Amino acid sequence: MNGARFLALLCLVMATRWMAVAAAADAPAQAGGAGEAAELTEAQKARAVEFMSSPIASRRQGAYQAGRRLGEGGREVYREILLRAQTHHRSRLETALERAGRGDDLGTRLEALAEARAETMAFLRTDHDKDPGRIRELDRMYAGVETALRRVDSAVGRRDGGGLDDTLAVLAEIWVELAWCDGRSITTEDALEEGREQALPEDVLARESGEEKVLEATAALEAAHEHNSAQRWASRQQVEFARILNTARHVMGLAPLRLDERLSEAARGHSEEMRRMGYFAHESPVADHRTPAQRVRNADFEGSFAGENIYANSGGGRPQSAYDGWWASDGHRFIMFADGPDTLGLGISGGATHWTMKTGRKSGR
């Protein structure tokens, strides 16, 4: 007999013994009426608590089944046993909380990131009149936010929770059974949701909330990268620029932008027209698409227009050079780091001499 089979058999035997205790307790109740209270010795109760305190799920489940077999007359006895088991698991929870918090400065790192982002975003959205010295200061501040984000990511990546989730899951089982004793029926998921906030200290809940937001933001960035890379119509330069911009927006705590074909068509048309007609401006000399908003409407973009940036490089530009040019120009930077948009259009002329970037918001997102 291998170890796994032996363990399973042992669990079954132990659970059967506890159920036999419950059956014996049922007998007086049946003899004296369904409402009679079941009686168990202290040794039997202690054995039941031992089963419910086990790290082995099959032992706990066997104990719960046996407890319910005590019937209506045994609910108070069952409740008493459950409360004792809950005390044991709450003690385990305290130990898990100590382990989870030992050496864990995620909360401090999250606060430092939030402060760095707020300070840098205020400076980023200030008109510096393209002063090179101020732009260098912005570069320095942005690098500080990158460092703060890396510190948060490393703290999130190395935390194991100290067994919190496992302990809370077992407590949720107890809460389900206590609800049954009260005549209520709830799922383990509902019990966990109801009991989690009561079981965990506020600082732990805040830390977990912050960690969840970090993971959600990272997942959103990865999803946007995946979406943009999968657009068969998009060129390598368009995808690369979207990656550069979205990574920077993620650093600053902003949602990523998804490339859109029609918005990019409107941008490409303007870039080609500027190259062909020899001008560099947001306003076109052609009446039918004079303004950026007109060009977006003409392209049948299914959303609202937000902003437009243009860039020119006679020698041919690259995604990073276009981004750097707009980063150093106040109004263009404001458009790249606006809160509202969720969609990106990028159009590049032949020879990559003229670039147009458009942002918008898709309806229904």
Side-chain angles (χ1 to χ4, degrees), residues 3 6 44 85 108 124 182 350:
F6 175 78
Q44 290 170 333
T108 302
L124 183 155
D182 293 334

Side-chain angles (χ1 to χ4, degrees), residues 34 193 268:
E193 184 176 350
R268 186 185 60 80

